[in-house]
Amino acid sequence: MEGNAGRHVVVVGGGIAGLAAALHLNRADAGLRITVLEAAPRVGGKLHASQVAGVEVDAGAESMLARRPEGKELARLAGLGDDLVDPGTTRASVLSRGSLRSLPRQQVMGVPSDVVDLARSGVLSPAGLARVPLDQFLPPTLVTGDVSVAAYIRARMGSEVVDRLVEPLLGGVYAGRADMLSLDATMPRIAAVARTERSLLQATRSITAEAPADAGPVFTTLRSGLGALPAAVAKESCAQIRTGVTVRDLIRTPDGWRLVTGPTRDEEVIDADAVVLAVPARPASRLLRREVPKAAAELAAIEYASMAIVTLAYPRTAFPEPLEGSGYLVPPVEGRPVKAATFSSVKWPHLAEADRNVMIVRCSVGRLGEELVLQRDDAELTALALNEMAEIMGARGLPLDTRVTRWGGALPQYDVGHLDRIARVRAAVAGQPGLAVCGAAYEGVGIPACVATARTAAKLVLEHLRETQHLRET
């Protein structure tokens, strides 16, 4: 695109969505002046890595979907394509009824498609297992609008499938609750068959059968950790990156937008031809209150879950048996504070190569409604993780090093009606030319989904700038 030299686009938010938006803007028009404003002292949001026992380990997200192209494409655009690596294993377990049991292979986000495979896993009790095939004989469960994940799946397959399979898998993604999360937003493939198929079991069989045999690994990461991605994207975007800058007001002007930053006594005014809001729903709501109140009200209603990740670096000899698989998930019904454990040095061989004598384990703590456990100090959270490893995996002695990372208000909750809410937000924002939104609050919490929203936001802004330039020239 030509003719936009000197035009100024401000991206509010330096997480991966904001940085990706800046990169896509720059690639489409190198003549644009792009500024990224980030309130935190660093860019990257939940993508951050640091050393634990001398090994560089992600403190936030440690993988991204490989079967959606946007994340890998962003890594390649940032010059990190050769750094992409596959997991050594994706075989996971579920802690059910006090024991580790293999996660059924034939399932879609915990919804089983093969009763024999499900029985072999031992995750469900005999009564829970017997309930599943009744799905094929029950009357249809009519789903015309959005419903909660739990409401639909429980009606078809019973409570144990929800409690012991769906809950831990959804919890790993959203740290949320199946009785609140939207079927349409979090399980779109299941939602589609819920409107057309009588049997959920038959429908999930069709879904799993459609998966190509050579699809490759579901997840990927960077050898240097996903924490290396933000800095590389920021550099490639050629944007001016300003950290420690909080935007407190967004005002429409005759020529574009005005952003007010900093405290009142020391405020700064920044003018822009277009703005991309790449911040979580609540701060986006505050910035939109003046000019787009309908969108602001919708975004203010999105709830967020908090969590913490306790990273433990053990001597490999601390475990009586070598750890196998990528880790395990813990259903809420087990009543344990740790909701998942990842055997990072097993899942990612490059971490094992960094130090063969160290076993890195990451324990996730906290779900929506469990904020009380997160009020404990770092030492107490570490003790919870150590007890988990001792009780479940037989770990002996103390780790070589530990790290506690808290992610307050990190994960947006896609409650029932989420997609309609986001449609209303986008419609309201579309009424303000030169304004776009992106990030995890909208159409997916993973890196590829965030990048997709960033690319859309960049496209909308560029179209606006092209139109205004054309009007000026005519």
Side-chain angles (χ1 to χ4, degrees):
M1 188 172 68
E2 299 178 355
N4 279 319
R7 308 295 290 279
H8 187 205
V9 179
V10 173
V11 178
V12 183
I16 199 60
L19 296 172
L23 184 148
H24 284 295
L25 286 165
N26 176 258
R27 284 182 61 82
D29 188 348
L32 285 176
R33 182 162 66 96
I34 305 165
T35 302
V36 176
L37 303 178
E38 169 57 47
R42 63 168 180 82
V43 296
K46 293 182 285 296
L47 300 186
H48 180 59
S50 64
Q51 288 197 351
V52 183
V55 179
E56 195 76 7
V57 185
D58 279 308
E62 49 97 44
S63 66
M64 58 184 175
L65 282 174
R67 295 178 185 175
R68 275 196 70 161
E70 298 92 345
K72 292 192 294 184
E73 287 175 0
L74 183 68
R76 294 187 183 105
L77 290 175
L80 297 176
D82 292 340
D83 207 22
L84 290 165
V85 292
D86 295 334
T89 179
T90 56
R91 185 165 54 85
S93 300
V94 177
L95 182 66
S96 183
R97 293 176 287 122
S99 299
L100 287 180
R101 306 171 193 275
S102 295
L103 187 69
R105 294 181 180 273
Q106 302 299 314
Q107 46 88 15
V108 179
M109 279 300 287
V111 182
S113 62
D114 186 319
V115 177
V116 174
D117 178 49
L118 178 61
R120 192 180 297 119
S121 75
V123 172
L124 304 189
S125 69
L129 180 66
R131 171 65 179 82
V132 174
L134 295 181
D135 159 79
Q136 299 172 100
F137 307 101
L138 292 170
T141 302
L142 298 178
V143 177
T144 54
D146 195 12
V147 297
S148 75
V149 169
Y152 175 67
I153 297 174
R154 186 178 290 119
R156 300 311 310 169
M157 293 185 171
S159 294
E160 281 201 37
V161 167
V162 174
D163 293 343
R164 298 195 174 276
L165 285 170
V166 175
E167 282 278 21
L169 281 161
L170 279 178
V173 178
Y174 300 97
R177 300 287 184 176
D179 59 356
M180 298 172 67
L181 291 170
S182 156
L183 187 69
D184 284 346
T186 65
M187 298 176 114
R189 299 183 74 185
I190 297 293
V193 300
R195 287 171 167 79
T196 59
E197 304 292 336
R198 178 174 178 273
S199 166
L200 177 57
L201 191 61
Q202 293 288 351
T204 51
R205 282 175 188 161
S206 299
I207 293 172
T208 54
E210 290 170 3
D214 58 348
V218 175
F219 299 105
T220 187
T221 195
L222 295 173
R223 184 176 297 275
S224 48
L226 286 184
L229 185 60
V233 175
K235 181 180 178 181
E236 189 65 25
S237 75
C238 298
Q240 180 189 18
I241 308 293
R242 297 181 57 190
T243 56
V245 179
T246 300
V247 179
R248 60 180 177 83
D249 208 356
L250 179 65
I251 306 165
R252 183 85 196 176
T253 68
D255 298 320
W257 296 90
R258 178 162 294 161
L259 300 96
V260 182
T261 74
T264 304
R265 66 180 181 277
D266 193 28
E267 70 179 27
E268 178 187 4
V269 174
I270 301 172
D271 289 318
D273 296 284
V275 172
V276 175
L277 291 184
V279 291
R282 297 292 172 82
S285 172
R286 289 193 292 271
L287 291 175
L288 292 171
R289 276 183 302 194
R290 179 196 299 266
E291 304 293 349
V292 201
K294 290 183 179 179
E298 295 288 356
L299 289 169
I302 297 177
E303 194 168 4
Y304 277 70
S306 299
M307 61 173 296
I309 296 175
V310 182
T311 305
L312 308 171
Y314 282 99
R316 282 188 176 263
T317 54
F319 296 93
E321 300 289 339
L323 299 184
E324 296 181 350
S326 62
Y328 63 89
L329 301 168
V330 184
V333 292
E334 290 293 313
R336 304 182 73 90
V338 172
K339 70 173 186 176
T342 302
F343 306 150
S344 300
S345 296
V346 179
K347 183 176 182 179
W348 303 112
H350 65 278
L351 293 181
E353 292 168 7
D355 193 329
R356 293 288 182 184
N357 297 315
V358 173
M359 173 61 67
I360 304 292
V361 177
R362 297 195 342 154
C363 293
S364 298
V365 179
R367 299 179 180 88
L368 186 71
E370 295 182 0
E371 289 76 16
L372 193 61
V373 69
L374 297 176
Q375 293 177 12
R376 304 186 186 193
D377 63 24
D378 287 1
E380 290 177 297
L381 290 184
T382 301
L384 291 176
L386 293 175
N387 288 339
E388 178 76 15
M389 287 298 100
E391 291 179 20
I392 305 302
M393 305 310 304
R396 298 170 298 211
L398 295 175
L400 302 168
D401 197 6
T402 66
R403 180 187 65 196
V404 176
T405 313
R406 297 172 184 271
W407 298 109
L411 293 168
Q413 299 301 290
Y414 288 12
D415 289 348
V416 174
H418 180 79
L419 295 184
D420 288 341
R421 167 171 284 126
I422 296 308
R424 294 190 294 270
V425 170
R426 292 204 177 280
V429 171
Q432 296 288 340
L435 179 65
V437 295
C438 63
Y442 300 95
E443 287 138 22
V445 299
I447 292 172
C450 289
V451 174
T453 65
R455 192 163 57 187
T456 298
K459 180 182 177 183
L460 291 171
V461 162
L462 291 165
E463 288 174 351
H464 164 72
L465 294 177
R466 186 188 302 120
E467 291 169 3
T468 55
Q469 185 67 26
H470 177 72
L471 290 173
R472 289 181 180 182
E473 292 173 352
T474 56

